[in-house]
Amino acid sequence: MATYRFDLNKDYSEKLENLAAEKHMNVQDFIRFKIFNETTIFTVDEAVKRIQNGEFENTEFTLPDVYGEDEWTIERGPAGVFGKNFYNHITNHPDLGIRFVPDRTFKRRAVYTYKKKEGDQIE
């Protein structure tokens, strides 16, 4: 695999990080998205949508459960980054109803629960 490096000054570095954060992506995925118009199902927004539209209310689940065996094709390293981004997002947005279950893991994966708020409408 080829590796490319480029340098950014502080202003551009912060701008890139902020743009990636607005899309709930890490910088590497954001660059792929912008340059190659590459999209993936492994985004925070997609995971939240699947959880809120799925059968996850009042049950414990992990991110691979959200995608199912057939779709969970993400490799271990990128899966960890995705998991960390997801955790950070739901922690910063408790209004989503998705909660991390502390001191509970399944196969080294974080465990979550979801409780829909009354009046929530999923789009």
Side-chain angles (χ1 to χ4, degrees):
M1 175 180 354
T3 301
Y4 296 92
R5 180 178 173 245
F6 61 97
D7 297 320
L8 298 173
N9 66 25
K10 182 181 177 190
D11 291 337
Y12 280 114
S13 177
E14 288 175 359
K15 185 176 181 177
L16 177 61
E17 290 169 3
N18 290 335
L19 289 169
E22 287 173 12
K23 290 282 192 186
H24 309 121
M25 295 177 162
N26 63 42
V27 170
Q28 184 172 322
D29 287 341
F30 182 74
I31 291 170
R32 284 189 188 117
F33 168 71
K34 291 305 275 185
I35 293 175
F36 303 113
N37 199 28
E38 180 179 301
T39 57
T40 175
I41 60 172
F42 302 111
T43 65
V44 171
D45 291 335
E46 177 67 18
V48 168
K49 182 176 84 174
R50 287 174 181 232
I51 291 164
Q52 292 177 334
N53 290 331
E55 301 295 323
F56 296 100
E57 190 168 16
N58 299 319
T59 64
E60 291 187 346
F61 59 89
T62 64
L63 281 175
D65 298 329
V66 173
Y67 289 88
E69 265 185 51
D70 293 338
E71 287 186 304
W72 186 255
T73 57
I74 189 169
E75 294 178 17
R76 187 174 179 180
V81 173
F82 174 45
K84 181 180 177 185
N85 289 341
F86 179 79
Y87 170 82
N88 289 338
H89 183 72
I90 61 111
T91 301
N92 292 329
H93 298 90
D95 54 306
L96 295 172
I98 303 168
R99 302 281 184 270
F100 170 70
V101 179
D103 301 320
R104 178 101 165 84
T105 60
F106 179 74
K107 295 184 179 180
R108 298 183 59 206
R109 298 173 180 147
V111 175
Y112 299 93
T113 60
Y114 171 62
K115 176 138 177 77
K116 188 186 311 187
K117 294 184 302 185
E118 192 162 321
D120 279 355
Q121 289 188 340
I122 310 305
E123 296 180 17

